[in-house]
Amino acid sequence: MIKAGIIGSTGYAGAELVRLLLGHEDVRIVWYGSRNYINEKYSGVYQNMFRLVENICQDDNIKELANAADVIFTATPQGFCASLINEDILNKSKIIDLSADFRFKNVKVYQEWYKIEHRASQYISEAVYGLCEINREAVKQSRLVANPGCYTTCSILSIYPLLKEKMIDGNTIIVDAKSGTSGAGRGTKVDTLFCEVNESIKAYGVATHRHTPEIEEQLSYAAGYPVTINFTPHLVSVNRGILITAYASLVKNVSWEDVQEIYKKYYQDECFIRLLDRDVCPQTKWVKGSNYVDISFKLDHRTKRIIMMSALDNLVKGAAGQAVQNMNLMFGLDEAKGLHLVPIFP
Amino acid sequence: MIKAGIIGSTGYAGAELVRLLLGHEDVRIVWYGSRNYINEKYSGVYQNMFRLVENICQDDNIKELANAADVIFTATPQGFCASLINEDILNKSKIIDLSADFRFKNVKVYQEWYKIEHRASQYISEAVYGLCEINREAVKQSRLVANPGCYTTCSILSIYPLLKEKMIDGNTIIVDAKSGTSGAGRGTKVDTLFCEVNESIKAYGVATHRHTPEIEEQLSYAAGYPVTINFTPHLVSVNRGILITAYASLVKNVSWEDVQEIYKKYYQDECFIRLLDRDVCPQTKWVKGSNYVDISFKLDHRTKRIIMMSALDNLVKGAAGQAVQNMNLMFGLDEAKGLHLVPIFP
Amino acid sequence: MIKAGIIGSTGYAGAELVRLLLGHEDVRIVWYGSRNYINEKYSGVYQNMFRLVENICQDDNIKELANAADVIFTATPQGFCASLINEDILNKSKIIDLSADFRFKNVKVYQEWYKIEHRASQYISEAVYGLCEINREAVKQSRLVANPGCYTTCSILSIYPLLKEKMIDGNTIIVDAKSGTSGAGRGTKVDTLFCEVNESIKAYGVATHRHTPEIEEQLSYAAGYPVTINFTPHLVSVNRGILITAYASLVKNVSWEDVQEIYKKYYQDECFIRLLDRDVCPQTKWVKGSNYVDISFKLDHRTKRIIMMSALDNLVKGAAGQAVQNMNLMFGLDEAKGLHLVPIFP
Amino acid sequence: MIKAGIIGSTGYAGAELVRLLLGHEDVRIVWYGSRNYINEKYSGVYQNMFRLVENICQDDNIKELANAADVIFTATPQGFCASLINEDILNKSKIIDLSADFRFKNVKVYQEWYKIEHRASQYISEAVYGLCEINREAVKQSRLVANPGCYTTCSILSIYPLLKEKMIDGNTIIVDAKSGTSGAGRGTKVDTLFCEVNESIKAYGVATHRHTPEIEEQLSYAAGYPVTINFTPHLVSVNRGILITAYASLVKNVSWEDVQEIYKKYYQDECFIRLLDRDVCPQTKWVKGSNYVDISFKLDHRTKRIIMMSALDNLVKGAAGQAVQNMNLMFGLDEAKGLHLVPIFP
């Protein structure tokens, strides 16, 4: 039985981790960290857990937690994880960090986009970028995994194979993304009040969103040259779900079958990637509550571009589900353990 | 392995049955019935099932189905089940009917409220009203279960114990109910288009809704005298969820503890009923995707009334979840098998 | 040209006042009060007013404001208006208070339900309860109007005629109300975040909501005896709209025509009350953006009760629209001036 | 007083025309056409119009209508308008066609994308594309106006000035659009049921949507060379609103001020185009119910692209509002008459 601790368990991603781990038969949650609700009943904060979780929220104490847990999930603001980890902690407990602290190999990129000094840069080289479908073997060996961002996961998985196979021009990539509001977290802001989000659509973080360099770094590895993209996130009035519409210029004449063949080469044995049939577009409603990423594409011969589309649940494959998938790999379990979640509709 | 067939598998309740049964390790679905999508891939209709269900939708053929399945779920319009069953079918396969055909012991009430002639009234006396928490033992012995309505389940479970213990006056009961739109089904009508439901609230079926006599019949058993109620359903712009606010006059002076004690007497060992803490009101978001019913109440000493409140997911405990719970009882399985669903939020 | 000032102009009710007054040709807004946005451009807070309002938000200064304005709207928290008004202010400017400060004739009721000491009780007797359809003549003479609550307006207008005409028993009244989320204001709380309200239904303030005594006071006037009611508000995932479903026992045998006749007696010349046709239930979508209250009812001869239903837009007839209607009366204008708003759908 | 007739008055665009024309003091609606609701009360179909419209829906009879009306709005399916007009009709009544029948100068493009034979191609050259901000003078002289599409209006207004001024490369334009569901109309389809749209995001018509050639034609005029674009519409769970995010490569080094200057050159005197301040992104909630188009942009020096953004209400500036604006021009009225609509929020 793996003992798991969660720091930041009362955020939306933290709460989703709780939901998933409660259904994972090899895991027991031993620590519900929450700075805002110290000493309150967890099920008083998340009433869906009434009678399922009897625990009390605990203040952050990573030292004590590392003694109690085999794995620590940090679903915390940027900079937090980097400020706490050290050799002692890492020797006692594996870390899966849901923040951006260890997602970049180049610390300057992190510091430039996040405006935070990195407090544990000595662990950057060791940390593994936990996009399982791409770094599976490295994750298995790792004690420190940087869980990818939600937009990032969706974007990279769509584009990676075509870039790697030199089907598209890396300098023409535009990612137009739409996200449900749970991605904005449970903090209280006017911008995420019901009446502000409901019945509206908006772009935000245009040309400045922090997931941009994260996508670029991974795509550059695939391309073998530096890739710079446009990334525009939009806020949509749904709770869960990310949809990516990505555009790129094709570098050669290809048929739908040619492209599908490449996707299959990379993903046909992946349990969480579903390559949709021709002319079927992904919809977030079909992946809600599950760890799936649905991927499809369309060729436009008029413009010689490809439109790549994908959908995932930002709290599952975009956060907690992927974290559990990483945990499974790190502990030598079946990668899909606890993640056989049938999408819930409607 | 129990072989299950679903008639009406492409309606919302039918699709929820598929979702739940896919996660039930003792069941295999052998028949996906759907008149509207004959010969189409089930996962083409419900894309969330892509790669999870390979089956093709089949036309209704209960004879063939009874040979193939140990249990048949009929998630079909009123009158359909009654028009098909006979001794031969019932000898081969257990039936769980999600329609109203066998919910009433008095066939006249059925015919009056539903304006349909009953085609199999000889089975009415044998049929068991499948509200597990109340008729558990009878369900276990049954081969024909009438799965209760969604509003009904929520209403009866809230009111039943207090009526049975003579705490409230049965002639003062008013049930004001609110339902998500999946309760209206997947048929196409102007009234359930997105733009018509979104950003609106309405009552419908006022003083005439068919769940009224169903609630009355069960409450009359509890009271020991004929109970007539007011029942007003409302349509609300959410996908899933029913909330009941029920009012009744208290027949004696009682404290919160007195009432809670009665609820505990009936429900404290029930796995799917959660009696909330004092001053906590149920919210549909806390039960979504699960088989729970959350119940609480408030005393108003100014008016000498009690306000009973409860919430459930209309597609789970209000339909498919309850049907699976009934199936488990009918087949001697653990009642909660396949129903350990953690509510999904947000 | 009437010069109007708004204290609390950046709350939802305040912003709706701005929207309505911008379309009122006899009014010019001279003061945009907002404690939270002092010195910020109003149209930066409410971008819908971009290019329509050039003003800057001002700190509260009622003395200065009374010199500048002919009428002051206080769309502020309870207690604020009472803490500021005095003879000097009232001599210079008419006051329309959207808070509860002057809604109760019995100061004890106010202090008990609101837990605030009343700081200007000497003006209570003079203040007029601004439900125009009932107190029209008094409003015309008033310099201090207490604008009714949103739930209250909807509830009273539905029930008042039947109580006054002794058709229903005042001690059997139950009001089950549903409100859109703008009623909860623009303050930041976890409870009104998008993900918390969306896809959920809940009751709140059960048996304790502050609109209860306000409804009771007005209904007692109608009945001629003290009326005590049950009032249960619910939060619904729409921006605007209140729907009231009210129940009462009939004191005599009546037909639908009898009841409609009474409603007509009171309302047939009212420009903002629409008595719906038989069997048509009100829906909030049909009044959105307008000052209408839609009213209908249903008789249930089985239970000898009447179900009264009504819908309004909580920000218009439930707040800003009613305030403008009061202003029109106080200044001798056509009551409907600036309020010829066609409901916007969808 | 202008007498107006509407064919297709019970669709969403038709109903919005009714809302707007009811508030237009120079217009009287004399004809409510609706094939689906012949002889029914209009206000029974759109209950928001109760007591505001007493008319009965009439079957289509353009001959009779042309005798009765000065202007005819056809809010009808493609092909309908072209099948009916002739010299006699056009001599009696001006036509504003909200369908695509007269939007293309090249009939082959129409026939290829719409798969309909054009039945009145002799009027194509005379018809004016009614995007007032671009074709104002021609509209004034016209008796047959082709009212632009919703996506199209939003897209063209954003991109037109920059293309005309040779700031961007016309062959790099990608338009990623998001629309509320009213754009899909009031016809009943599974795809637009509440539970199917709510809590989901999807792209549709990828690389094949019919607004593509319409945008291309107008942009080609601006560029002076044939422009081919990618256009991807998305369906979003709101009632009203279109948001456009458009990408193009800059052909020279420009500052924010340079670009803003160009937009100002074209739009600073336009009453319905609002150029937002720097770093303010358009949101559909800020234009809802109004005839405004909000436009802003962002430069990305890393990729040498510009991101153009704009928002409008698809039923107003995207359909009925623009139609009224065209009517005003055609009849020599103030262009903004009846369109001084303050956006309604929330």
Side-chain angles (χ1 to χ4, degrees), chain C residues 50-51 198-199 240 273 346, chain D residues 51 198-199 240 273 346:
Chain C
F50 187 63
R51 272 196 12 200
N198 188 39
E199 294 303 294
R240 290 168 177 250
I273 297 185
Chain D
R51 272 193 18 196
N198 187 40
E199 294 302 293
R240 288 169 178 252
I273 297 184

Side-chain angles (χ1 to χ4, degrees), chain D residues 2 7 9-10 19-20 22 32-33 47 97 110 116 119 130 133 142 147 180 191 218 223 230 270 286 291 297 326 330:
Chain D
I2 301 166
I7 305 187
S9 67
T10 53
R19 180 175 82 93
L20 299 183
L22 287 180
Y32 291 79
Q47 193 74 23
D97 177 25
Y110 173 84
I116 299 177
R119 307 268 294 277
E133 287 75 10
S142 177
N147 211 56
D191 278 359
Q218 299 300 320
N230 269 105
E270 289 296 341
W286 300 130
N291 203 44
F297 63 92
N326 277 315
M330 292 163 91

Side-chain angles (χ1 to χ4, degrees), chain B residues 69-87:
Chain B
D70 304 310
V71 59
I72 299 171
F73 296 91
T74 50
T76 47
Q78 324 303 336
F80 182 89
C81 183
S83 74
L84 290 184
I85 63 162
N86 55 44
E87 204 54 30

Side-chain angles (χ1 to χ4, degrees), chain B residues 116-157:
Chain B
I116 299 176
E117 199 196 342
H118 203 293
R119 308 268 294 278
S121 54
Q122 69 275 27
Y123 293 110
I124 288 181
S125 62
E126 150 172 17
V128 172
Y129 188 74
L131 193 48
C132 313
E133 287 75 10
I134 287 174
N135 290 332
R136 180 168 289 120
E137 294 312 312
V139 169
K140 287 182 187 173
Q141 312 304 325
S142 178
R143 57 179 188 168
L144 172 58
V145 161
N147 211 57
C150 50
Y151 284 126
T152 334
T153 298
C154 207
S155 302
I156 298 170
L157 289 175

Side-chain angles (χ1 to χ4, degrees), chain C residues 157-178:
Chain C
L157 289 175
S158 300
I159 303 170
Y160 188 90
L162 304 190
L163 208 49
K164 187 112 182 173
E165 300 288 326
K166 311 217 174 300
M167 275 234 162
I168 55 175
D169 175 353
N171 291 311
T172 62
I173 296 170
I174 290 170
V175 178
D176 194 284
K178 298 88 186 164

Side-chain angles (χ1 to χ4, degrees), chain C residues 306-338:
Chain C
I306 186 170
I307 302 106
M308 296 158 279
M309 293 169 282
S310 55
L312 54 71
D313 182 324
N314 56 302
L315 291 178
V316 190
K317 184 62 180 169
Q322 184 140 268
V324 172
Q325 196 180 348
N326 278 315
M327 181 199 73
N328 285 339
L329 289 172
M330 292 164 90
F331 284 85
L333 303 174
D334 172 8
E335 186 173 340
K337 195 120 201 198

